[in-house]
Amino acid sequence: MNARASALNVATTCPYCGVGCGVVATPDGQGGAAIAGDRDHPANAGRLCVKGAALGETLGTEARLLHPTIHGVRTTWPRALDAVAAGFTAAHEAHGPQAIAMYLSGQLLTEDYYVANKLMKGFLGSANVDTNSRLCMASSVAGHRRAFGADVVPGCYDDFDQADVIVFVGSNAAWCHPVLFQRAEQAKARRGARIVTIDPRRTATAELSDLHLPIAPGADTILFCRLLVEIADSDAFDRAYVEAHTSGLERALEQARAIAPDRATTAARCGVAEPDLAAFLDLWIGAPRVVTAFSQGVNQSARGTDKVNAILNVHLATGRIGKPGCGPFSLTGQPNAMGGREVGGLANQLAAHMDFQPADVDRVRRFWNAPAMAEAPGLKAVELFEAIERGAIKALWIMSTNPAVSLPRADAMRAALDKLDFLAVSEVSAHVDGLLDAATVVLPAAAWGEKDGTVTNSERVISRQRPFHAPPGEAWPDWRQVSEVARRLGHGAAFAYRGPADIFREHAALSGFENDGARAFDIGALATLADAEYDALAPVQWPRRRGQAGRKRFFSEGGFFHSDGRARFVAVADPPPPRLTEAYGLVLNTGRVRDQWHTMTRTGLSPRLARHRDAPFVEVHPDDAARLGLSDAGFARVTSAQGAAELRVVATASQRRGSLFAPIHWTAATAGRARVGALTHASVDPVSGQPDSKATPATIAPSPIAAEGFLVARRRVALPDWLAHARIAVLGGEAVTFASAEGPAALQAFLSNWLGRAASASRRADEGGQRFQSATFADGRLESFLHVAPKLDRAAFDAAIALLARPTIDAQERRFALAGRALAAGDSASPLVCACFAVRRDAIEAAIAAGAASVDAVGRETRAGTNCGSCRAEIRQLVTSRDAVAAIVAGQGD
Ligand code: SF4
């Protein structure tokens, strides 16, 4: 049965990455829901990655904001909204429209985004509306607009099924866009498609690829310039396409020759082996159908827009665009980055992909009947917060994002918020560090599962997010909050929406307004949907022009959106290497881990997702680790000109020499001293304004840690920031790991005092006073377990977590717990590899030892890697690693 047609099941869309998978939620009537993939959704056909599959674990309301507050004191909605209107009015009257701003999020629904932009750009006269999507894909937007004349992703997901070669550039798609990556893997398995990864790190995606180019940071433009030169020199141009549909090739090619004159120079500048470079060039040029997919490694760069255009250039040169199995493909990070682009969520755009050209400004003004239309672009995210630092912005409204964690120079951004006269924050979670304390007014917002509206994924498919729970407490949807403030500001008639369907119809009508095909984004055919049709709307790909059939792809026959209908080759600039100094001589790259999303306010609620990577870390090449005195699994302090963070060291050859990698997810709420956003510099791309999060000059030094430990507890326990390393959700409570320069005995004494540990706690000390354990019990179950030793005892940690999950424990289990031993076979301390089926490393190694010689064979034996596929790279490493060989040998010897 079609899920959308069922009364019990609600078809909605995953709130995480830009793949935009369809989800079927079945509420349990008690605040939870069973989650499954939507077999009818074109993005995933029923598949979910582990993050999507764990959505049901994140629905609790314990961490939610439930009531509006003013200066931290609970208030009513009318008073809170009055305060927001008054705060914006005061700043506007005293300092003009440039002194007010909104900072939005790719987590918002299109309808929320539309209303916020309309209020600011049409009715308050300020284009200072930007979004955290600026941090995600602004360089792709700018690159598309330069080349195509419009922000259009030319292809669709089907192209991954049909390509001969799929290139992932700056994209760890196996972890960050897992369901789409699975399609690439299937193309490889079924049709022999080849997968290439271009990434400084040997990521999970690289691990599963046929070819990996471990490119030097920032050198992607050089590589694709060389490809353009080789296309020219091997006469691989599609001359008919180039002549009929493009302009600017000569200049772009001349510049490419200057940047990448030959293979040897290119290989040296890119830091890759010349044979690997040759293999890539030959593969790309020789395959008739190529998809080049790119994401944050391209976008989050000081020269990100040029990287995008260097990629678009080679597809234009070969006419490999808009045809089945061909095209450049921007993978968006956030669930609704595309929807935000459609309604003008970026400060330099107007609604419906329009610009600040006078004709566009006039058109939007007339459509909205807008009294105070902004006529020039506003401040982009980094500029916006620099203006706040200078005191030029007086009133700010932040919705659904935390710039105090995610913007570059995060510590400085957090301090900048105190310079505002007025700050409103619309937020879901009560655990967003650095933001709620700074706010004048906090407005509780509806979350995923409660929100009603639409999102657009990376292939231009608009999907419904449907509610299946009522918002808890007094939480409201964001569009309603904005509309009520607009009414208080005297614009009630223009914001008299009854619900999201009204907003969507207006948005669709604007996209088709005076649009004779000159604007790519047109969903005018959806402007007359009845409420019931909007409710039942199936996923639909734009464009949907009134009176015309839809289309999957753009540009196979030209039809670009520059005034002459031609695409532009862009002569890109020669990218400078990262600016390292004597003090900061390493390149810090940032990114994501497989099972977490952004700042973990949602994924951090899932015990299952917490166990894949349960603490913040920094990856270092073993040679650098040895040179710098770092030990694997020890601690190190990473420092940049902006700040510092303390992280656990992972020495791995998957990291380039001279580079560091640290994930972005941990905040002060989840890690005491591991806010990686505090390290990143504010260098931005000159065209797109997108920050360069991938190449911050940094340094690293060992941290003198003498004791480590953990506290597993049924209730949240506050530990001092200098001590707590990471906090994770576990079944039945939470677990905190910690590390200290003090030795075990001193740390144990401090903690007993800090925690007020009762004398009745069961205690055990051994190994010459170097190892301490104590536990408290109540109602026949474990209440808390504290462990201190010179190093984190992973077996004891996992045993304690397993014990906390038990509804009752007996006397023998108490003794085992105090001994720090696993309780039963199912309580293995081996690291979790497959989160979907909870398969641990030791089970996989056992399967390999028993003869499973491939990822698929391991899957047949253990089920690991057979659902979302996110762990297949790790399984492959185990299959091929020396550990596995040793395990096999050991197995034979037994
Ligand atoms: Fe959600 Fe995973 Fe699909 Fe992305 S790939 S939309 S995170 S289920």
Side-chain angles (χ1 to χ4, degrees):
M1 180 171 56
N2 184 325
R4 273 177 287 278
S6 164
L8 292 176
N9 301 329
V10 176
T12 183
T13 313
C14 175
Y16 298 128
C17 82
V19 177
C21 296
V23 168
V24 177
T26 307
D28 62 8
Q30 299 173 342
I35 298 294
D38 183 350
R39 280 174 286 139
D40 297 327
H41 198 288
N44 57 320
R47 299 192 82 93
L48 292 177
C49 79
V50 64
K51 291 189 286 289
L55 274 165
E57 297 174 30
T58 70
L59 295 173
T61 57
E62 304 80 28
R64 293 291 298 276
L65 287 170
L66 299 176
H67 310 286
T69 57
I70 299 177
H71 292 301
V73 178
R74 182 174 172 177
T75 188
T76 63
W77 268 106
R79 287 197 183 122
L81 296 165
D82 287 348
V84 178
F88 268 60
T89 300
H92 194 288
E93 287 180 349
H95 306 283
Q98 299 316 316
I100 60 174
M102 291 185 89
Y103 189 60
L104 309 177
S105 162
Q107 299 286 317
L108 292 173
L109 304 187
T110 299
E111 290 77 1
D112 302 322
Y113 250 132
Y114 178 87
V115 174
N117 274 278
K118 179 179 175 181
L119 175 63
M120 287 293 286
K121 289 178 181 161
F123 291 76
L124 300 181
S126 173
N128 290 338
V129 187
D130 215 49
T131 159
N132 65 8
S133 293
R134 177 76 59 189
L135 282 52
C136 166
M137 50 67 210
S139 295
S140 285
V141 175
H144 289 156
R145 285 162 56 116
R146 287 204 304 192
F148 307 149
D151 177 21
V152 176
V153 175
C156 57
Y157 293 161
D158 290 354
D159 294 328
F160 288 77
D161 305 333
Q162 297 163 349
D164 304 307
V165 171
I166 303 166
V167 184
F168 290 96
V169 192
S171 167
N172 187 7
W175 279 16
C176 300
H177 298 90
V179 168
L180 185 59
F181 184 76
Q182 292 245 314
R183 289 173 78 155
E185 275 209 289
Q186 283 170 1
K188 177 177 171 176
R190 291 177 185 159
R191 301 176 35 256
R194 310 292 294 279
I195 299 177
V196 179
T197 295
I198 297 166
D199 195 303
R201 295 190 300 139
R202 187 163 182 83
T203 59
T205 307
E207 196 63 47
L208 292 165
S209 296
D210 299 286
L211 176 64
H212 170 218
L213 298 190
I215 195 165
D220 313 66
T221 297
I222 301 167
L223 179 69
F224 280 89
C225 280
R226 184 64 212 162
L227 179 55
L228 184 64
V229 171
E230 299 254 349
I231 288 167
D233 292 351
S234 59
D235 205 20
F237 281 130
D238 183 336
R239 292 199 173 277
Y241 188 89
V242 169
E243 283 169 16
H245 304 304
T246 72
S247 65
L249 174 61
E250 295 76 14
R251 175 81 190 92
L253 184 55
E254 183 187 337
Q255 179 70 355
R257 285 192 194 284
I259 293 170
D262 51 52
R263 287 190 177 185
T265 306
T266 305
R269 293 193 67 191
C270 291
V272 299
E274 202 170 326
D276 288 346
L277 172 67
F280 166 67
L281 296 169
D282 293 347
L283 202 54
W284 203 102
I285 291 170
R289 291 172 297 185
V290 182
V291 169
T292 308
F294 51 95
S295 57
Q296 314 313 7
V298 167
N299 292 324
Q300 292 178 336
S301 166
R303 301 286 173 163
T305 308
D306 272 359
K307 286 185 182 178
V308 172
N309 282 110
I311 292 168
L312 302 187
N313 281 350
V314 294
H315 280 274
L316 289 170
T318 50
R320 292 172 180 171
I321 187 165
K323 297 169 185 160
C326 290
F329 205 104
S330 156
L331 298 172
T332 45
Q334 295 205 75
N336 200 28
M338 291 283 273
R341 285 143 79 162
E342 290 155 14
V343 299
L346 296 167
N348 53 324
Q349 286 188 269
L350 280 179
H353 277 198
M354 280 183 270
D355 211 337
F356 279 94
Q357 299 299 322
D360 284 350
V361 172
D362 180 60
R363 185 179 297 111
V364 178
R365 183 202 320 270
R366 286 185 286 110
F367 182 86
W368 281 343
N369 195 20
M373 195 70 203
E375 299 191 348
L379 299 171
K380 296 166 184 155
V382 171
E383 299 169 338
L384 181 66
F385 280 82
E386 287 171 349
I388 293 170
E389 277 185 300
R390 290 195 308 273
I393 301 282
K394 302 294 183 184
L396 175 68
W397 190 347
I398 296 171
M399 306 188 92
S400 213
T401 183
N402 186 358
V405 170
S406 54
L407 273 177
R409 299 198 298 127
D411 285 348
M413 296 301 98
R414 188 153 73 174
L417 295 176
D418 293 333
K419 300 246 177 90
L420 291 161
D421 291 346
F422 177 83
L423 173 62
V425 173
S426 297
E427 178 52 60
V428 164
S429 171
H431 296 158
V432 286
D433 71 60
L435 193 56
L436 301 183
D437 290 349
T440 320
V441 179
V442 173
L443 305 170
W448 183 81
E450 302 147 16
K451 298 211 277 194
D452 191 1
T454 56
V455 291
T456 307
N457 72 6
S458 295
E459 63 162 352
R460 293 176 275 106
V461 167
I462 299 168
S463 298
R464 291 277 281 111
Q465 256 197 29
R466 295 183 174 88
F468 51 88
H469 287 148
E474 299 177 50
W476 279 16
D478 297 277
W479 68 263
R480 186 178 170 201
Q481 299 178 20
V482 178
S483 299
E484 283 295 323
V485 169
R487 189 168 68 75
R488 283 163 168 78
L489 294 171
H491 308 300
F495 292 84
Y497 303 113
R498 294 168 305 141
D502 281 348
I503 303 166
F504 184 83
R505 281 188 288 265
E506 183 179 308
H507 161 56
L510 175 55
S511 74
F513 181 60
E514 298 178 354
N515 189 352
D516 58 0
R519 305 200 308 272
F521 178 68
D522 186 343
I523 54 169
L526 306 177
T528 54
L529 290 179
D531 284 0
E533 291 172 314
Y534 174 78
D535 283 344
L537 185 67
V540 55
Q541 191 171 33
W542 65 259
R544 275 291 188 275
R545 299 188 202 285
R546 192 182 290 265
Q548 288 186 17
R551 57 193 293 188
K552 274 183 161 308
R553 299 178 179 85
F554 281 86
F555 309 141
S556 63
E557 304 294 331
F560 294 94
F561 292 93
H562 287 297
S563 57
D564 60 2
R566 289 175 175 270
R568 302 284 187 270
F569 284 94
V570 175
V572 296
D574 197 347
R579 276 196 219 136
L580 303 181
T581 64
E582 199 172 325
Y584 302 112
L586 300 168
V587 178
L588 173 65
N589 181 5
T590 64
R592 289 146 184 78
V593 299
R594 193 188 77 188
D595 292 357
Q596 295 297 343
W597 176 256
H598 285 195
T599 52
M600 297 168 60
T601 49
R602 177 175 288 279
T603 47
L605 302 174
S606 162
R608 176 166 40 148
L609 297 180
R611 298 313 310 278
H612 177 245
R613 295 284 187 274
D614 59 17
F617 62 90
V618 57
E619 288 184 352
V620 192
H621 190 279
D623 292 352
D624 287 336
R627 179 172 61 85
L628 297 165
L630 306 169
S631 52
D632 187 31
F635 280 83
R637 185 173 175 82
V638 181
T639 310
S640 74
Q642 293 67 236
E646 192 158 75
L647 305 163
R648 193 180 284 281
V649 173
V650 176
T652 168
S654 67
Q655 188 63 34
R656 279 182 69 88
R657 290 177 186 82
S659 292
L660 307 172
F661 171 80
I664 59 170
H665 307 290
W666 283 271
T667 69
T670 48
R673 46 191 195 272
R675 297 170 74 245
V676 169
L679 296 166
T680 50
H681 60 179
S683 171
V684 299
D685 178 274
V687 182
S688 69
Q690 179 157 358
D692 175 9
S693 309
K694 299 290 188 183
T696 297
T699 190
I700 187 169
S703 289
I705 296 297
E708 295 186 46
F710 64 84
L711 175 68
V712 171
R714 214 160 277 288
R715 291 179 194 79
R716 189 177 181 85
V717 180
L719 288 181
D721 273 0
W722 60 264
L723 182 61
H725 176 55
R727 180 185 298 276
I728 59 170
V730 298
L731 278 176
E734 66 171 29
V736 187
T737 51
F738 48 78
S740 165
E742 301 283 349
L747 184 56
Q748 159 72 11
F750 169 82
L751 282 166
S752 291
N753 188 36
W754 175 273
L755 298 169
R757 211 99 172 126
S760 60
S762 304
R763 297 168 191 274
R764 179 181 168 127
D766 50 22
E767 294 177 14
Q770 291 294 295
R771 180 184 170 100
F772 300 88
Q773 291 160 185
S774 70
T776 58
F777 303 90
D779 302 326
R781 60 183 191 170
L782 182 70
E783 278 297 300
S784 70
F785 190 103
L786 176 69
H787 189 283
V788 179
K791 290 278 174 202
L792 180 65
D793 184 333
R794 284 240 152 231
F797 185 50
D798 283 20
I801 289 171
L803 198 66
L804 195 77
R806 298 196 170 203
T808 57
I809 55 175
D810 59 26
Q812 186 187 14
E813 287 169 333
R814 286 187 183 208
R815 286 195 297 278
F816 267 61
L818 279 170
R821 296 213 297 268
L823 302 170
D827 297 335
S828 162
S830 181
L832 192 70
V833 175
C834 172
C836 293
F837 296 117
V839 184
R840 294 178 180 274
R841 179 178 167 143
D842 54 4
I844 293 169
E845 287 178 339
I848 295 168
S854 68
V855 176
D856 289 337
V858 169
R860 283 192 292 277
E861 290 299 316
T862 67
R863 299 181 76 197
T866 59
N867 186 40
C868 76
S870 309
C871 61
R872 289 173 65 85
E874 283 158 284
I875 299 170
R876 180 163 147 169
Q877 276 174 331
L878 290 174
V879 169
T880 55
S881 72
R882 272 189 243 146
D883 284 356
V885 173
I888 292 168
V889 171
Q892 288 168 343
D894 283 344

